[in-house]
């Protein structure tokens, strides 16, 4: 499998699909497409501070994603979405509080969040799963949080996404 990691908006990358296919790529990994605390392409880390589990930011809209996946599939290229599901955006640097643009359903439910404690020992599986990684960490064991994430992933699949890369997957606990 030959994967191209993309940093362009989908409406620009659409015109590169023939070149990408001719170079032997069979997968394209797109940047996180969730709404962001600042809808900017740079600095790169802004793409990893989503405020919600829906589709649409500088990478593209839901319609852009559907069109892009359709065109990629015509060229036998699979689209892999980079997904941020372990945290949401912070209100200010160094804070473990959610950004003002995080929906009230998240902000107002203390059970949706990990304890506001930062990981100190990165070799401790307990800390990495249960504490925050410098951003407001989501309690991935809460059924409603899981449901939000699953609904988002299902929507990406309905748009034509064929795989996922999970950011900070090491912070996701296993049964």
């Amino acid at each position: 499998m030959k994967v191209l990691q993309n940093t362009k908006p989908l409406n620009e990358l659409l015109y590169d699909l023939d070149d990408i296919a001719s170079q032997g790529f069979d997968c394209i990994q797109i940047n996180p497409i969730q709404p962001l605390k600042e809808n900017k392409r740079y600095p790169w880390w802004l793409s990893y501070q989503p405020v919600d589990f829906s589709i649409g930011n500088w990478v593209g809209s839901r319609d852009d994603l559907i069109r892009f996946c359709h065109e990629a599939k015509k060229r036998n290229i699979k689209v892999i979405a980079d997904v941020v599901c372990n945290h949401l955006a912070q209100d200010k640097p160094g804070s473990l509080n959610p950004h003002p643009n995080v929906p009230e359903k998240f902000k107002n439910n203390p059970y949706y969040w990990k304890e506001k404690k930062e990981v100190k020992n990165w070799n401790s599986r307990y800390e990495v799963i249960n504490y925050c990684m410098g951003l407001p960490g989501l309690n991935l064991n809460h059924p409603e949080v899981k449901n939000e994430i699953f609904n988002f992933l299902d929507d990406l699949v309905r748009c034509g996404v064929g795989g996922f890369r999970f950011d900070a997957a090491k912070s996701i606990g296993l049964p």
Side-chain angles (χ1 to χ4, degrees):
M1 180 177 295
K2 190 172 176 184
V3 180
L4 174 71
Q5 288 186 290
N6 170 56
T7 57
K8 286 184 176 181
L10 297 178
N11 61 1
E12 289 179 21
L13 190 62
L14 191 63
Y15 299 103
D16 297 335
L17 282 173
D18 288 329
D19 285 342
I20 292 166
S22 73
Q23 293 174 36
F25 289 98
D26 49 14
C27 288
I28 296 174
Q29 178 183 314
I30 62 169
N31 271 32
I33 197 164
Q34 296 158 252
L36 306 170
K37 77 175 191 177
E38 293 181 45
N39 196 27
K40 295 189 222 173
R41 193 167 165 181
Y42 303 107
W44 67 267
W45 52 264
L46 283 174
S47 290
Y48 294 87
Q49 290 218 22
V51 294
D52 199 5
F53 294 102
S54 59
I55 297 171
N57 66 24
W58 68 264
V59 173
S61 66
R62 190 172 192 284
D63 288 341
D64 293 334
L65 181 60
I66 291 168
R67 181 173 179 221
F68 184 79
C69 289
H70 177 76
E71 291 299 321
K73 186 175 183 176
K74 283 187 195 176
R75 294 158 178 86
N76 295 315
I77 298 172
K78 182 185 287 190
V79 176
I80 299 171
D82 199 349
V83 174
V84 180
C85 66
N86 65 311
H87 66 268
L88 292 176
Q90 62 192 173
D91 62 349
K92 59 186 176 200
S95 170
L96 295 179
N97 294 317
H99 191 272
N101 292 342
V102 169
E104 296 298 319
K105 67 183 172 187
F106 284 103
K107 280 195 292 199
N108 294 335
N109 191 330
Y111 301 107
Y112 283 11
W113 302 98
K114 292 180 180 181
E115 182 180 354
K116 287 185 183 179
K117 194 170 184 181
E118 287 205 46
V119 174
K120 300 287 186 218
N121 179 1
W122 290 95
N123 293 318
S124 166
R125 186 83 180 127
Y126 180 84
E127 283 191 30
V128 171
I129 291 171
N130 294 291
Y131 296 166
C132 299
M133 304 172 84
L135 296 161
L138 288 166
N139 175 3
L140 301 178
N141 291 319
H142 193 284
E144 291 172 30
V145 173
K146 284 183 191 178
N147 198 40
E148 288 284 333
I149 294 165
F150 291 151
N151 287 339
F152 173 61
L153 297 174
D154 285 344
D155 196 26
L156 290 170
V157 170
R158 283 190 295 276
C159 290
V161 168
F164 306 107
R165 180 236 173 225
F166 290 97
D167 181 60
K170 65 185 168 193
S171 69
I172 300 170
L174 300 172

